Amino acid sequence: MKLFYHKDPVGNFGDDLNTWLWPRVAPGLLDNDEGTLFIGIGTILDNRIPDAPLKLVFGTGTGYGRMPALDERWRICCVRGPLTARALGLPQELAITDPAMLVRNVMPEERPGTYSISLMPHHRTKIRAGDENVDLETVVRDAGLHYIDPAAGAEVVLKSIAGSQLVIAEAMHGAIVADALRIPWMPVQLYDHISDLKWRDWCYSTGLDYSPAVLSPRPGEEKQRALSSFIRGTISLRRPMLSPDGAIAGKIRLLEEKLALIRQEHADACCLEGSAKMLPDPEVWRDIPWLYAMHSAIRELGEILPVGATYILVDQDEWGSGAILAGRDAIPFTERNGIYWGPPASDVVAINELERLRAAGAAYLVFAYPSFWWLDFYSHFSQHLRSTYPVMKQSHYLIAFDLG
């Protein structure tokens, strides 16, 4: 699977982040196999993407160029936001968020606030300011701010953002990374080349609105003086932004799940080809607790449940009960016509439902992590289980009862 992204000749943080992030969150996934293009961070979802047998889109956005003609060679795992989904006629559930949010998983949690306020311009603003003989970096520093060069390289920019207490961002991925790291930020437009569409696309995905402070110099006003005044005014008049914690945690989890499925599918394909270059590695899965727990539980289930067994699975409908373990039939708990129906209303309901399914042929009951809390919350149900049926397996990942 080969990474495809826009390579700006002068460097651009949002694009350059691809080569830094993906080896860290999906080690071993990318190589130079041009049979599949992996299209990730960037506003590059348009008709200029090269031809390939398979084009896999993971969080990419639209905003420039003409829309691509989607056919059987495209696999859309997810896109940046609802505007991209609408433009391509995709279901809105594919609009998760920008995958640059995954930096949260690979950046240190303890980050010293080295810089009080930082400003990160768009990479084209840096070029245009230079063409107009405007020393943008000096203007920013004279205003008492830390200047983040969008072309300085991903590692340098990430450290600057992570070390800031507030980020003023014209570059969208400066805001995205700040938001992922829970650092307040403010959007600005210093020049007229900023795409409102791509900003709104991402902001809408996180429950925010895009309303930047816009620099509008008076006729004849010297650009450098206008910039200096604008920066100071933005700091004093604008309120910082930050998306809700819960929304971001949920979005990142969805990205993790999508990426984990891609990695597992790629691993399976490699195994079928007789290659071990992408075998599942427990040390990798440990970086995604939900995924590691699921795979560990599946392995343990395969060891204790005989082929052909029917079992009740308490997983809060998070693991896709119908096909969780080959050769065994899982019944979601609770269920109606084989469909997950939510947690039981009471201990009595839980006990009655268990006995109904047992009478219908279920031979085992399995609690999967992270559903262990049921055994505390439904205390009478738990007491009924432990006093009536033996525990056949108890680990960090599952608790299984023999209903026979």
Side-chain angles (χ1 to χ4, degrees), residues 63-145:
Y64 307 118
R66 291 187 288 109
M67 295 298 100
L70 302 183
D71 55 27
E72 68 280 356
R73 294 170 297 176
W74 291 82
R75 179 182 173 188
I76 311 294
C77 294
C78 55
V79 293
R80 174 188 289 154
L83 301 185
T84 293
R86 186 184 306 162
L88 293 172
L90 300 172
Q92 285 298 305
E93 56 264 29
L94 293 181
I96 298 181
T97 194
D98 194 290
M101 300 293 286
L102 288 170
V103 298
R104 179 173 174 173
N105 290 1
V106 287
M107 292 289 287
E109 291 188 12
E110 296 294 330
R111 296 182 296 271
T114 307
Y115 313 110
S116 177
I117 304 175
S118 297
L119 186 145
M120 182 175 174
H122 190 275
H123 73 290
R124 286 185 60 194
T125 290
K126 177 184 174 182
I127 297 171
R128 290 182 65 177
D131 292 341
E132 296 177 0
N133 295 317
V134 173
D135 189 343
L136 184 58
E137 184 171 353
T138 297
V139 171
V140 171
R141 289 181 174 173
D142 285 349
L145 279 62

Side-chain angles (χ1 to χ4, degrees), residues 25-323:
V25 298
L29 179 64
L30 301 175
D31 50 34
N32 288 317
D33 184 356
E34 297 186 358
T36 301
L37 293 183
F38 183 88
I39 307 161
I41 302 168
T43 310
I44 56 173
L45 197 48
D46 57 41
N47 64 313
R48 293 169 291 183
I49 293 177
D51 198 12
L54 180 62
K55 290 173 272 194
L56 192 154
V57 174
F58 193 90
T60 322
T62 59
Y64 307 118
R66 291 187 288 109
M67 295 298 100
L70 302 183
D71 55 27
E72 68 280 356
R73 294 170 297 176
W74 291 82
R75 179 182 173 188
I76 311 294
C77 294
C78 55
V79 293
R80 174 188 289 154
L83 301 185
T84 293
R86 186 184 306 162
L88 293 172
L90 300 172
Q92 285 298 305
E93 56 264 29
L94 293 181
I96 298 181
T97 194
D98 194 290
M101 300 293 286
L102 288 170
V103 298
R104 179 173 174 173
N105 290 1
V106 287
M107 292 289 287
E109 291 188 12
E110 296 294 330
R111 296 182 296 271
T114 307
Y115 313 110
S116 177
I117 304 175
S118 297
L119 186 145
M120 182 175 174
H122 190 275
H123 73 290
R124 286 185 60 194
T125 290
K126 177 184 174 182
I127 297 171
R128 290 182 65 177
D131 292 341
E132 296 177 0
N133 295 317
V134 173
D135 189 343
L136 184 58
E137 184 171 353
T138 297
V139 171
V140 171
R141 289 181 174 173
D142 285 349
L145 279 62
H146 171 65
Y147 176 76
I148 301 179
D149 183 349
E155 187 82 34
V156 173
V157 174
L158 282 167
K159 287 181 178 178
S160 286
I161 295 173
S164 303
Q165 297 175 29
L166 171 65
V167 175
I168 299 176
E170 186 185 38
M172 184 182 71
H173 282 96
I176 290 173
V177 169
D179 201 81
L181 300 181
R182 305 285 76 195
I183 298 168
W185 53 276
M186 299 177 183
V188 295
Q189 287 187 8
L190 306 180
Y191 281 87
D192 60 3
H193 50 250
I194 305 301
S195 167
D196 282 7
L197 186 150
K198 72 176 188 180
W199 266 94
R200 291 199 310 272
D201 195 29
W202 170 66
C203 284
Y204 291 168
S205 78
T206 59
L208 298 174
D209 197 10
Y210 177 58
S211 181
V214 180
L215 172 60
S216 301
R218 296 186 300 273
E221 184 179 12
E222 193 260 330
K223 185 72 174 184
Q224 190 146 323
R225 183 185 300 275
L227 273 168
S228 179
S229 176
F230 172 76
I231 291 169
R232 288 182 169 87
T234 298
I235 297 170
S236 62
L237 298 176
R238 287 276 173 158
R239 294 182 59 185
M241 302 176 66
L242 199 61
S243 62
D245 286 339
I248 290 305
K251 295 289 185 178
I252 289 176
R253 176 166 178 173
L254 288 173
L255 290 175
E256 289 173 344
E257 292 174 3
K258 293 277 188 180
L259 189 58
L261 288 173
I262 293 171
R263 297 187 66 198
Q264 186 60 53
E265 290 170 2
H266 189 60
D268 292 344
C270 289
C271 290
L272 288 173
E273 294 168 6
S275 168
K277 65 180 180 179
M278 188 38 203
L279 289 174
D281 180 353
E283 294 306 314
V284 173
W285 297 128
R286 285 183 194 276
D287 293 335
I288 308 175
W290 171 88
L291 182 70
Y292 182 75
M294 185 183 80
H295 278 266
S296 299
I298 291 172
R299 183 180 63 251
E300 293 180 1
L301 278 178
E303 295 171 353
I304 63 174
L305 298 186
V307 175
T310 298
Y311 66 103
I312 303 166
L313 178 61
V314 183
D315 72 335
Q316 302 173 172
D317 200 36
E318 294 187 8
W319 290 4
S321 307

